[in-house]
Amino acid sequence: MKYNHILIRYAELSLKGKNRKEFERKLLETVRTLLKDFKNVRVQRTFGRMFVELNGADEREVSNRLKNIFGIHSFSPALKVDLNQEKIDEAALWAVKDAIPAENGTFKVTVKRPNKDFPGRSQELNYHIGSHILRNTKEMTVDVHHPDVEVKVEIRHEAAYILCKTLKGAGGLPVGTAGKVLLMLSGGIDSPVAGYLALKRGVMLEAIHFHSPPFTNDRARQKVEDLARVLTQYGGNIKLHIVPFTAVQQAIHQHVPDSYEMTVTRRFMLRIAERTAQNIDARAIVNGESLGQVASQTLDSMYTINEVTNLPIIRPLVTMDKLEVIDIAKEIGTYDLSILPFEDCCTIFLPPQSKTKPNKNKANLFEEKLDIEKYVQEAVDGIETVMISSKKQVDEEFKELF
């Protein structure tokens, strides 16, 4: 015997009222897409829940995919059996032994009987199934208040479902339910974590990266593509927009005082990001800034840099310290990539000291020496867009969905 179904539960979706069906539809799309490698797996939705029919697929491999999908609160491997008391008893016994292989824990049985035609009341069935488990295990005992395992049996009209284990999902909202954002993705630790947390709130993500060859090399670019590929595990394919940034940085380095070089560079990045966001119909820009972490992330710096855009800037990490961010990066699988020693454009031409309280009037004055519109438009026109998928070979069907 082995698990033939997985039951998916969602929490926040139940709070969405009239939009519930749309949220469930988006989650169903995402689950189907991220499980499409399993050729025989089928996903079905009923009111308030979703079932994955394994059809021979490995339950553990499928579970490893499900745990990364936003919108799933929890899920449980389940046994679907015919409406036959003997088969229900045997399935419940197998599930308990799978949950507690040593057979020396505590359990309780909870039967729900939507199918009132099935013989026996719920309490009677609780006792019957529990007795069968006690007779056929070594040292299992019943604890109705704090059991190690709760054997849940749901007797529906088409079949009975038995489950014992509950696995934690990623939570949040299904990708695509909150609109599109543009992530400023560098090669560092912070921005991939910011992208992950934005995905958790249901956004569809595209990313922009500023590349300055020959000062930043192809290995630095590959690092960013690999970081984006990790994020596809949580939200599907990601369009990555590679901005040629060398000319902009050289002009800034030539005409702007060292102390304002980082401030003006970040202002140009925001201008280019805003133009790109408008072109792709994104509603906000996401970045990995954390308040006070570096000179460009003080309130004064944010105020001066933000002056150049009217788009909302979402900063999921703004209140976190570095260790908190590192912990999340390790958890989601981006940390080891982020610490690879390939420089991004933010580290080249880096002055010995940047202003922590830059004045926006001075920034505007220094920028008068630069043809802002020319540099921004040339950078936008030169963008190379690549589709990043969970596999290096882009799947066309997957590409169309996301």
Side-chain angles (χ1 to χ4, degrees):
M1 189 174 291
K2 64 179 182 179
Y3 294 114
N4 49 29
H5 282 66
I6 296 177
L7 169 66
I8 295 174
R9 307 177 191 86
Y10 25 94
E12 272 194 79
L13 272 66
S14 64
L15 305 177
K16 298 304 174 184
K18 294 180 180 179
N19 294 323
R20 180 189 177 102
K21 288 185 178 180
E22 176 62 16
F23 278 62
E24 290 182 355
R25 186 186 68 79
K26 285 288 188 181
L27 179 58
L28 182 64
E29 280 185 356
T30 303
V31 172
R32 283 176 172 168
T33 301
L34 294 181
L35 295 182
K36 70 185 300 296
D37 290 349
F38 301 94
K39 300 300 182 184
N40 296 321
V41 163
R42 298 291 180 268
V43 187
Q44 294 185 341
R45 181 182 66 179
T46 61
F47 181 76
R49 64 182 59 192
M50 201 173 291
F51 281 106
V52 178
E53 298 178 9
L54 293 172
N55 294 320
D58 189 306
E59 167 263 324
R60 289 166 296 182
E61 291 183 8
V62 174
S63 293
N64 283 336
R65 296 281 183 92
L66 293 177
K67 71 181 182 181
N68 293 331
I69 297 176
F70 292 121
I72 295 178
H73 172 67
S74 65
F75 57 95
S76 297
L79 292 163
K80 179 183 178 181
V81 298
D82 294 337
L83 293 172
N84 174 283
Q85 187 64 62
E86 183 177 341
K87 290 184 178 181
I88 292 171
D89 292 345
E90 289 306 310
L93 176 62
W94 185 91
V96 166
K97 289 182 176 181
D98 179 67
I100 307 179
E103 299 181 30
N104 61 355
T106 61
F107 74 96
K108 81 170 184 177
V109 179
T110 303
V111 175
K112 292 184 178 179
R113 197 169 55 96
N115 180 359
K116 302 303 181 185
D117 294 330
F118 190 83
R121 295 180 178 273
S122 295
Q123 288 297 330
E124 295 170 352
L125 294 171
N126 289 344
Y127 178 80
H128 178 88
I129 297 169
S131 298
H132 181 76
I133 292 172
L134 288 171
R135 287 194 303 270
N136 292 279
T137 53
K138 296 176 181 177
E139 299 178 23
M140 297 293 289
T141 57
V142 174
D143 183 345
V144 297
H145 298 294
H146 303 288
D148 297 322
V149 170
E150 182 178 3
V151 184
K152 298 179 180 179
V153 180
E154 186 163 339
I155 299 174
R156 303 177 69 85
H157 290 279
E158 74 282 2
Y161 296 86
I162 297 93
L163 52 96
C164 282
K165 297 189 292 189
T166 297
L167 306 175
K168 185 179 179 182
L173 300 172
V175 170
T177 57
K180 185 188 292 184
V181 300
L182 181 65
L183 170 67
M184 298 179 71
L185 183 62
S186 72
I189 295 171
D190 300 331
S191 58
V193 175
Y196 167 83
L197 294 175
L199 284 168
K200 188 171 185 177
R201 300 314 304 160
V203 301
M204 183 179 292
L205 195 70
E206 295 192 21
I208 187 169
H209 175 69
F210 296 86
H211 189 50
S212 297
F215 305 105
T216 55
N217 59 32
D218 288 341
R219 297 181 77 180
R221 170 175 167 161
Q222 185 61 54
K223 172 183 173 180
V224 170
E225 291 186 9
D226 290 341
L227 286 168
R229 186 165 288 109
V230 173
L231 292 179
T232 64
Q233 299 174 28
Y234 305 96
N237 278 14
I238 293 175
K239 285 183 179 179
L240 176 63
H241 307 279
I242 309 290
V243 179
F245 202 53
T246 308
V248 178
Q249 284 200 276
Q250 288 177 322
I252 292 170
H253 186 62
Q254 182 178 352
H255 295 290
V256 176
D258 287 353
S259 60
Y260 270 79
E261 194 169 335
M262 180 56 72
T263 300
V264 173
T265 298
R266 295 291 292 178
R267 282 161 65 100
F268 267 88
M269 286 179 169
L270 267 189
R271 290 184 177 105
I272 295 166
E274 179 186 55
R275 192 77 56 89
T276 305
Q278 291 168 346
N279 290 341
I280 64 173
D281 199 29
R283 293 292 184 262
I285 295 169
V286 175
N287 67 30
E289 291 178 341
S290 176
L291 187 59
Q293 192 173 114
V294 295
S296 65
Q297 295 177 20
T298 64
L299 277 180
D300 292 276
S301 287
M302 290 180 185
Y303 176 72
T304 297
I305 294 168
N306 273 31
E307 182 196 19
V308 303
T309 180
N310 291 318
L311 271 183
I313 309 294
I314 298 173
R315 298 178 172 88
L317 314 185
V318 70
T319 64
M320 294 186 184
D321 63 38
K322 194 68 175 185
L323 292 178
E324 290 176 296
V325 177
I326 288 173
D327 285 344
I328 298 174
K330 290 179 177 178
E331 181 182 341
I332 67 175
T334 57
Y335 180 75
D336 289 339
L337 285 169
S338 293
I339 61 174
L340 291 175
F342 306 129
E343 290 186 328
D344 60 31
C345 69
C346 292
T347 58
I348 64 175
F349 304 135
L350 191 64
Q353 193 168 20
S354 296
K355 278 282 186 183
T356 57
K357 295 184 177 181
N359 182 285
K360 68 176 184 178
N361 294 326
K362 287 187 177 181
N364 284 314
L365 180 64
F366 298 140
E367 287 178 348
E368 287 180 1
K369 301 175 183 178
L370 302 167
D371 189 338
I372 294 172
E373 179 58 29
K374 170 180 173 290
Y375 283 117
V376 169
Q377 193 58 51
E378 285 181 353
V380 172
D381 290 342
I383 284 176
E384 177 190 355
T385 299
V386 294
M387 180 69 79
I388 305 296
S389 69
S390 56
K391 295 182 177 180
K392 292 191 177 182
Q393 179 66 38
V394 176
D395 184 303
E396 290 302 321
E397 180 182 344
F398 198 74
K399 180 177 176 181
E400 286 300 318
L401 179 58
F402 285 94

